[in-house]
Amino acid sequence: AQKITQTQPGMFVQEKEAVTLDCTYDTSDQSYGLFWYKQPSSGEMIFLIYQGSYDEQNATEGRYSLNFQKARKSTNLVISASQLGDSAMYFCAMREDFGNEKLTFGTGTRLTIIP
Amino acid sequence: EPEVTQTPSHQVTQMGQEVILRCVPISNHLYFYWYRQILGQKVEFLVSFYNNEISEKSEIFDDQFSVERPDGSNFTLKIRSTKLEDSAMYFCASSRALGWEDSTDTQYFGPGTRLTVL
């Protein structure tokens, strides 16, 4: 079974608009971390933002924020005021805190910002 | 800001040859990882390494793969006899702590080595 599901293979958004990238996850652990990484065309993986399973507030980091809905097991990434440089692949990932150290990634969403 | 570095950025090799991919993790990090990403696919975990030994490995990490920390700064991934299907981007990552030690800790990735097996 997929542990991380990203249902949007590609999205096109007008510059300066906000965009939401969806991510749902599956775990029976109580303690886990959720991460978003950006992969531009150059290929590197850039850490964007983190949400812990016990965090009561949604994480924010500059123009990035998470809409974390624990009961629905979703952690959607919101990018406000999108810029051309936001065009990239975006990966959602989960780390189950006990017994596993690895990150499990989703299949990614390719975001294209239209000028 | 400290970062993970990887060399080479691109490696081309013939099938059956051995390759060594090199990584320098962030200096105060204790946990090291290798991931790979076949072109157009998701990132997959290969192996984690702590205190000079493998702490977890995936089913991809078979006997053809090995990891080593030969000195205080480098972390290497060796593929003994490369196959065509080993062609991928290989990412090294490091973290200061594990999830159960510090749930906020993050794995930071290097820029990757693109391995092409001909």
Side-chain angles (χ1 to χ4, degrees), chain B residues 64-82:
Chain B
Q64 293 299 313
F65 291 88
S66 62
V67 289
E68 194 178 32
R69 187 151 163 84
D71 53 44
S73 59
N74 289 284
F75 179 50
T76 62
L77 174 70
K78 184 194 292 187
I79 310 174
R80 258 181 276 283
S81 176
T82 50

Side-chain angles (χ1 to χ4, degrees), chain B residues 5-24:
Chain B
T5 59
Q6 290 185 243
T7 54
S9 56
H10 193 185
Q11 173 100 44
V12 181
T13 190
Q14 294 289 329
M15 191 169 59
Q17 295 294 305
E18 173 183 288
V19 294
I20 297 176
L21 310 183
R22 301 180 195 279
C23 168
V24 179

Side-chain angles (χ1 to χ4, degrees), chain A residues 2 35 37 39 43-45 47 50 91 95 97-98 100-103 105-107, chain B residues 33 35 37 42-43 45 48 55-56 91 98-100 103-107 109 111:
Chain A
Q2 291 285 343
F35 303 80
Y37 287 85
Q39 186 177 44
E44 71 268 34
M45 294 287 287
F47 166 70
Y50 160 84
F91 290 96
R95 181 196 62 214
D97 289 342
F98 291 92
N100 280 296
E101 301 138 32
K102 65 185 181 188
L103 290 174
F105 284 83
T107 50
Chain B
Y33 313 84
Y35 293 81
Q37 183 183 32
K42 65 179 177 180
V43 179
F45 169 78
S48 56
S55 45
E56 187 179 358
F91 290 104
L98 295 178
W100 60 266
S103 61
T104 66
D105 202 59
T106 298
Q107 292 181 23
F109 282 68

